[in-house]
Amino acid sequence: MKTQILFGILICSRALLMAQPSPPPAPLAGPTSTVTGSISQFTYGPEGRVEGLVVAPNTLVSLPPDWAIQVEMLAKIGNQVRVTGTVMPTASAIQIIDPISVDVAGKTLAMVQPSEPVPYAGTGVIRSLNYGRQGEVNGFLLQNGIIARTPSFAVSDVSVLRPGATISISGFARATPSGRTVVEVQSITANGQTIAMSSRPPDGPGRGPGRGPGRGRGPGGAAPPPPPPDGPPPPPPPDR
């Protein structure tokens, strides 16, 4: 009797295991390879912007957003393209390549890994001011291509910071995936005037320093103390 019960349990357990679907195997990335050919078509996202391209006859290249914008402006169907990247297998007849570099229309787009912030000090000439979403100044583009990020402030607060001015900056620099150098500014020196922004490094990529100069604020963003009240101080309340 015990043997029959044990045998029945084993059969039921096996049936339950067989009824459970096995998880699909994870797709394996293929080796890095290079594909050369002509652009047979572009692929588009929901907003009608280019998201990728197809290299004849059957290779789909999915582009990062900043690359897609450049390819949309530069390339046309029929242009020759050279793509290096990792090939991803699919169930269909088309293969997908995750690009590391793309050569198209005489321009090379290469993937750059973002870097950790490192101390930076240098001098440059302001090419233009950088503005935030509310129109506030939050940095500068220097003529050497460096993007200097600062806390938000009004242009009238620091009149020496204008296009054409030579400034020295110190802070923490990082490389972005698009290949730009962004400096989170901690201090600026212009015309012998030094403006302190923050005394601590940024918390991570894309994080700015502490509050900086603003209307009615001193260096480093410290608010000035309130003015003393007019007239003599009021007499103390009588004892009860």
Side-chain angles (χ1 to χ4, degrees):
M1 181 67 177
K2 292 182 179 180
T3 303
Q4 292 178 346
I5 294 174
L6 179 61
F7 184 71
I9 293 174
L10 291 175
I11 293 177
C12 292
S13 300
R14 183 179 179 185
L16 288 174
L17 291 174
M18 294 179 64
Q20 294 178 353
S22 58
L28 298 176
T32 300
S33 60
T34 299
V35 175
T36 303
S38 60
I39 300 174
S40 62
Q41 71 174 78
F42 294 107
T43 58
Y44 298 89
E47 302 299 327
R49 305 305 301 265
V50 168
E51 285 188 336
L53 56 89
V54 176
V55 181
N58 67 333
T59 300
L60 172 63
V61 183
S62 296
L63 299 171
D66 56 335
W67 290 14
I69 294 173
Q70 297 182 61
V71 169
E72 185 173 11
M73 296 175 61
L74 292 170
K76 299 178 181 179
I77 292 178
N79 285 164
Q80 288 293 307
V81 63
R82 177 185 176 90
V83 183
T84 300
T86 304
V87 176
M88 306 291 292
T90 65
S92 63
I94 197 166
Q95 69 173 358
I96 299 176
I97 186 168
D98 188 16
I100 299 173
S101 66
V102 175
D103 293 293
V104 60
K107 187 176 182 63
T108 299
L109 306 173
M111 185 65 68
V112 178
Q113 294 298 323
S115 66
E116 291 297 321
V118 295
Y120 175 89
T123 301
V125 178
I126 298 176
R127 176 184 296 174
S128 59
L129 303 179
N130 197 72
Y131 298 94
R133 294 182 179 273
Q134 304 301 321
E136 74 281 8
V137 177
N138 62 9
F140 320 94
L141 174 63
L142 304 182
Q143 289 186 0
N144 57 12
I146 288 178
I147 300 173
R149 296 276 301 179
T150 69
S152 303
F153 63 92
V155 180
S156 59
D157 288 342
V158 189
S159 59
V160 295
L161 302 179
R162 60 184 184 277
T166 299
I167 61 174
S168 297
I169 59 174
S170 64
F172 288 83
R174 57 186 174 84
T176 67
S178 61
R180 290 185 176 273
T181 298
V182 177
V183 177
E184 301 290 352
V185 177
Q186 291 193 313
S187 69
I188 300 175
T189 301
N191 287 348
Q193 178 183 356
T194 298
I195 307 156
M197 299 287 173
S198 174
S199 59
R200 65 178 182 84
D203 296 331
R207 297 291 301 274
R211 293 183 62 88
R215 187 172 301 278
R217 291 184 174 269
D230 296 332
D239 295 333
R240 295 189 178 183

